Amino acid sequence: MFSKRISTLLLAMGLALMVILSISAYRFPNVPRDVKNRVGNYWSNSPENPGSRPPPPPPDSDVEGEEDLDDEEPATASSSNLACDVPESDKCYDPYREPGYFWQPKGSYRDSRWIPFTSDLMSAPDPPAATYPADPANMPTFSITPPEEEFLNSPHTPPNLMKDLLTEYKALKAQSTPESVTLAAETPYTGPMAFLQNRRILVLGDSVDRFMVQFFCAELGLDMTQSPVRQSTAACHLPLLNFTLVHWHFSGSYPARPDWWWMPEMEQVAFEDRLPAIWAPTFNTTLGTTRPDLILWQGGLWDQRMFWESGAAAADPALASRERQMAWSETRFAIARLRQFVKLLKETLGADTPMMYRTVTMHRDSSGNDALMYELDRIGRAVGREAGGEVFEWGRLVSGDQWLYMDKTHLSRGEASWLYMNMLLGYLKRAAGEGGWAECNAAYKGWGGR
């Protein structure tokens, strides 16, 4: 009897061990089994350890305020990464999707950079202040100091493309003539900004994005052109490179012009109505094409305000509250309408045009009033993922930095706008490469886990 009990106990222990081993071997979809062996050198660039890029899907995979929101040489595939000087084996590495540190040097916003937390940084020698036990006679203190050069100028830290553009454009202006400006589109240019020549970026967003377009122009000593109709279209054109950055004001996802709309002068609200009336005319003017080289889109602030106003108009106290969770009916509505919006963009601007969802920005004094924004951001990511687009993480990278705002809603010219511009140029460089976007898109069209 005793031996039988022992046998039963051993059998139970064996079954328990099998269960434990099976759980430890379990992996979630798209997570490589050898990830635990790659943590130490996750950003290495050898073919065996292709940096932080997630593995591409298999060939048959289906992964594809109260205030007025408005007032306040051509790149090749081998160099079509996000402008990081990393080996060919890791050209799709995207530093802006990595956890990192937004370096904001005081008094020199044009030197601000995003510094990803690479394995070199994580495994660097500990600073003396981190020593345990601390020396009672020399207790740890902290100071504002710049990052070490080895991290600031690491090949995995995205370069300061905007600063390079300022230098190059100044040189081009010094050599320009009226004839060279006229012939800019036809004259071969093989300088460091060759990926910008004859390119078009289209940004569908709100006044936050429009200010970024305005600041981009201002950095280059140029003036943004804007339609006399408020919340419609704007553009920044660089004549010496024939490059244009165009903004279409996206008023959110409501499918009609309701009586309670808070902008009485806005005649078209639904994007189906704004396309023919406001946006399409730019095909023959500022945009000059129906096939831009890169598209950014988001409409978080306007959809947030729309849900607030809709709830107030319905006299529903639960929905009229500005500090609440998004209702399930609102969630289903937003998913449906944003899917229709992206479908319209693909049908109008090309199904294969590189497209990115720009993560939303919160209000400067963000609190429970921005709960809807977090919900809308998750929906935007999901819709972008389904459409095969990528994520422009700018809104998340500046989240919480209240000192970067110029009012309750808009980020100011400075560190935030500089980061926006560097990211925009970096993604265009990949989108404008010969096959670079398609090659890397498979790895980066996912939600991103945030």
Side-chain angles (χ1 to χ4, degrees):
M1 179 67 69
F2 178 75
S3 60
K4 185 176 181 180
R5 289 180 178 177
I6 292 296
S7 298
T8 302
L9 179 60
L10 291 175
L11 178 60
M13 292 174 64
L15 290 172
L17 180 61
M18 291 176 64
V19 170
I20 292 172
L21 291 174
S22 65
I23 291 175
S24 66
Y26 179 83
R27 64 186 180 96
F28 290 100
N30 297 326
V31 177
R33 289 185 183 272
D34 67 336
V35 67
K36 60 180 179 295
N37 298 322
R38 293 166 47 186
V39 171
N41 58 350
Y42 199 56
W43 285 281
S44 66
N45 294 305
S46 65
E48 294 78 18
N49 292 296
S52 62
R53 185 180 68 229
D60 297 328
S61 172
D62 291 329
V63 177
E64 301 252 270
E66 280 299 328
E67 64 184 310
D68 185 333
L69 291 178
D70 186 64
D71 284 342
E72 312 276 312
E73 67 205 65
T76 62
S78 62
S79 63
S80 62
N81 61 307
L82 195 62
C84 284
D85 185 18
V86 295
E88 170 73 16
S89 62
D90 198 21
K91 66 184 176 211
C92 292
Y93 170 78
D94 186 343
Y96 294 114
R97 290 175 67 99
E98 302 295 343
Y101 179 77
F102 185 16
W103 168 233
Q104 304 173 34
K106 296 297 182 183
S108 181
Y109 73 82
R110 293 188 179 94
D111 292 317
S112 57
R113 307 279 289 281
W114 179 254
I115 303 175
F117 294 153
T118 65
S119 59
D120 290 341
L121 189 154
M122 301 301 288
S123 61
D126 294 339
T131 301
Y132 176 84
D135 180 358
N138 188 24
M139 296 298 285
T141 59
F142 307 96
S143 60
I144 298 177
T145 56
E148 297 91 331
E149 285 295 319
E150 61 185 295
F151 306 129
L152 190 59
N153 295 316
S154 163
H156 288 86
T157 297
N160 199 335
L161 286 176
M162 191 62 196
K163 198 169 187 179
D164 294 341
L165 175 59
L166 291 188
T167 300
E168 180 67 7
Y169 207 73
K170 182 178 180 180
L172 289 174
K173 284 200 292 187
Q175 304 167 14
S176 68
T177 64
E179 183 181 21
S180 67
V181 174
T182 303
L183 300 176
E186 292 79 26
T187 304
Y189 166 71
T190 58
M193 294 293 121
F195 66 93
L196 283 177
Q197 187 177 31
N198 300 331
R199 300 295 181 180
R200 301 291 183 269
I201 296 178
L202 175 60
V203 179
L204 293 103
D206 49 36
S207 51
V208 174
D209 297 285
R210 193 194 66 236
F211 274 118
M212 295 302 115
V213 175
Q214 178 182 330
F215 297 153
F216 178 82
C217 245
E219 294 289 352
L220 295 160
L222 302 169
D223 293 323
M224 180 184 74
T225 59
Q226 189 171 355
S227 168
V229 179
R230 294 183 65 197
Q231 296 103 14
S232 54
T233 64
C236 176
H237 181 64
L238 278 59
L240 297 177
L241 290 171
N242 191 34
F243 166 75
T244 308
L245 177 57
V246 176
H247 178 259
W248 287 357
H249 186 94
F250 176 36
S251 302
S253 57
Y254 205 76
R257 169 65 170 80
D259 294 338
W260 47 259
W261 198 254
W262 64 96
M263 292 282 183
E265 68 274 21
M266 182 176 286
E267 298 180 4
Q268 295 86 16
V269 171
F271 48 80
E272 294 91 344
D273 298 330
R274 294 181 70 80
L275 176 61
I278 298 174
W279 299 339
T282 66
F283 291 153
N284 297 316
T285 55
T286 53
L287 189 61
T289 180
T290 59
R291 291 293 185 272
D293 298 286
L294 179 65
I295 298 172
L296 263 64
W297 67 271
Q298 69 80 33
L301 287 169
W302 282 71
D303 272 339
Q304 178 194 47
R305 181 70 177 269
M306 176 270 291
F307 284 131
W308 285 347
E309 299 291 345
S310 173
D316 185 329
L319 293 179
S321 172
R322 298 196 169 192
E323 294 191 0
R324 62 176 177 84
Q325 182 186 28
M326 179 180 283
W328 181 245
S329 61
E330 294 171 328
T331 301
R332 291 293 309 278
F333 171 88
I335 291 173
R337 287 295 289 162
L338 289 178
R339 290 182 75 239
Q340 294 166 20
F341 172 65
V342 172
K343 182 174 182 288
L344 179 67
L345 294 184
K346 284 180 168 289
E347 292 173 348
T348 306
L349 304 170
D352 59 346
T353 300
M355 185 179 299
M356 304 188 77
Y357 164 70
R358 195 271 275 172
T359 54
V360 302
T361 53
M362 305 299 167
H363 290 91
R364 182 190 61 199
D365 304 318
S366 183
S367 61
N369 66 301
D370 273 339
L372 289 181
M373 293 296 286
Y374 290 98
E375 306 266 14
L376 288 165
D377 191 59
R378 287 190 284 268
I379 292 171
R381 289 174 183 272
V383 171
R385 173 186 62 184
E386 181 193 43
E390 297 188 21
V391 180
F392 191 87
E393 288 282 7
W394 178 71
R396 182 59 59 90
L397 300 188
V398 299
S399 180
D401 291 359
Q402 295 178 319
W403 55 90
L404 300 180
Y405 282 71
M406 61 183 178
D407 56 32
K408 293 181 181 179
T409 303
H410 304 96
L411 288 124
S412 62
R413 179 179 174 182
E415 292 84 355
S417 63
W418 198 257
L419 178 63
Y420 186 102
M421 298 167 200
N422 267 325
M423 293 177 69
L424 201 63
L425 295 177
Y427 285 114
L428 177 64
K429 187 170 185 180
R430 177 150 67 84
E434 298 175 2
W437 188 271
E439 183 177 0
C440 300
N441 177 244
Y444 282 121
K445 61 188 177 183
W447 176 64
R450 295 173 176 81

